[in-house]
Amino acid sequence: MTHAPPPGRARVWSGRLGLLLAGLAVGALTFLLALQVRAGSGGGTTTVAPSGDAVASAPAPDPTTAAPEPEVTETAPPPPLAGLTVAVDPGHNGGNGANPLTVNAPVPDGRGGTKACNTVGASTDAGYPEHAFTWDVAGRLAARLAELGAVVVLTRPDDAGVGPCVDARGRLPQEEGADLLVSLHANGTSDRRAHGFFAIVADPPVHGAQGEPSVALAHDLVAALGAAGFAPSSTVAADDGPLQRRADLATLNHAERPAVMLELGEMRNPDEAAVMESEEGRQRYADAVAAGITAWAGADG
């Protein structure tokens, strides 16, 4: 015989069954929502933050988008005298006058004879010496040439020594691998009316570089001095300008590179002496010589 459960116990079991079914329904709904969240839409992903809020991440990169082109850096052109080595010879020296035995000793002149090692040089009426003038102009010239990219070698390290002798000065370009030699001087004509600059080349040439290459260098130097406002010599004239051709200058005879001696002016002419004695005037000389070398290097290159 079957007994029916008491009415109270039936209600308890009925309630528990209802709770169980409700829990299963909530769990199924949560599972379906989770599937929808993971599916997302299109090319990115979506993450659910700990707070329960949905946070969209950055979209995936588009492989068809081109990478930015690298920046192009322009390279500055080389200076005009890059690769050029210039030998600069400041004429005479500050200790020559006190050492006559040394400066008067004979040395080879480059043509089979001899020449005095060196000389004292000229001076202005005020006593400004040629060796000081050429040393100062050489320093300014060396600085300007270096700015233009050249390597500069000097035949003497200061203005207090003796020599070097003229043959050693002429050999310096080839010994130092220089491309040219410019020897700086100032003339000492006794006639104070004489004025102006001139250039000198070795003639007849002992080496091939003393021929047309040296003449071309002389022309460019003469042109640059004229363009800078300096007057050409009133006593030296040639068909191709203020240019002397001489065989007796050992510095030029020994050079195996294009070589020119410049007499930048007359030290006993009062007007030119005033220019030489001024810093501004010496800078003008240096800038003009640098311009002549630059012109020659451009044409030669």
Side-chain angles (χ1 to χ4, degrees):
M1 177 176 184
T2 303
H3 297 279
R9 184 176 296 180
R11 284 195 298 270
V12 170
W13 282 107
S14 176
R16 289 179 178 178
L17 180 60
L19 289 173
L20 178 60
L21 292 174
L24 290 174
V26 171
L29 180 61
T30 302
F31 177 73
L32 291 174
L33 287 174
L35 288 178
Q36 291 179 347
V37 167
R38 286 184 180 275
S41 62
T45 57
T46 302
T47 304
V48 178
S51 64
D53 297 329
V55 179
S57 66
D62 184 352
T64 63
T65 303
E69 296 184 1
E71 295 184 2
V72 177
T73 303
E74 294 186 2
T75 303
L81 297 185
L84 192 76
T85 299
V86 182
V88 177
D89 174 36
H92 311 286
N93 208 331
N96 284 4
N99 293 273
L101 293 179
T102 301
V103 298
N104 290 326
V107 298
D109 68 354
R111 294 183 185 270
T114 61
K115 189 86 174 181
C117 167
N118 214 285
T119 60
V120 174
S123 63
T124 67
D125 288 343
Y128 183 57
E130 182 181 355
H131 65 79
F133 168 69
T134 62
W135 175 249
D136 187 272
V137 173
R140 296 170 186 272
L141 174 59
R144 179 61 183 139
L145 292 174
E147 289 176 355
L148 295 170
V151 174
V152 181
V153 292
L154 299 175
T155 57
R156 56 186 173 104
D158 53 45
D159 194 39
V162 181
C165 296
V166 287
D167 58 328
R169 293 173 188 249
R171 290 193 302 268
L172 181 80
Q174 49 268 25
E175 291 174 350
E176 295 294 333
D179 298 287
L180 69 156
L181 168 68
V182 176
S183 184
L184 303 175
H185 290 261
N187 211 29
T189 304
S190 58
D191 184 353
R192 286 163 173 75
R193 293 172 298 177
H195 65 271
F197 64 85
F198 60 96
I200 311 171
V201 296
D203 188 69
V206 180
H207 303 282
Q210 296 169 3
E212 184 55 35
S214 292
V215 172
L217 174 60
H219 285 164
D220 284 325
L221 290 168
V222 164
L225 285 164
F230 296 106
S233 175
S234 61
T235 60
V236 175
D239 293 338
D240 49 359
L243 179 63
Q244 274 190 349
R245 301 169 188 267
R246 293 172 57 174
D248 63 322
L249 297 176
T251 296
L252 298 180
N253 292 340
H254 282 277
E256 297 178 12
R257 303 288 191 272
V260 174
M261 184 175 291
L262 288 175
E263 298 286 358
L264 292 171
E266 294 286 350
M267 297 202 85
R268 291 176 181 165
N269 178 287
D271 294 333
E272 293 191 349
V275 175
M276 295 181 190
E277 290 168 353
S278 71
E279 289 191 14
E280 179 184 2
R282 295 193 294 272
Q283 188 64 54
R284 283 180 58 211
Y285 278 117
D287 290 343
V289 175
I293 293 172
T294 303
W296 175 83
D300 187 64

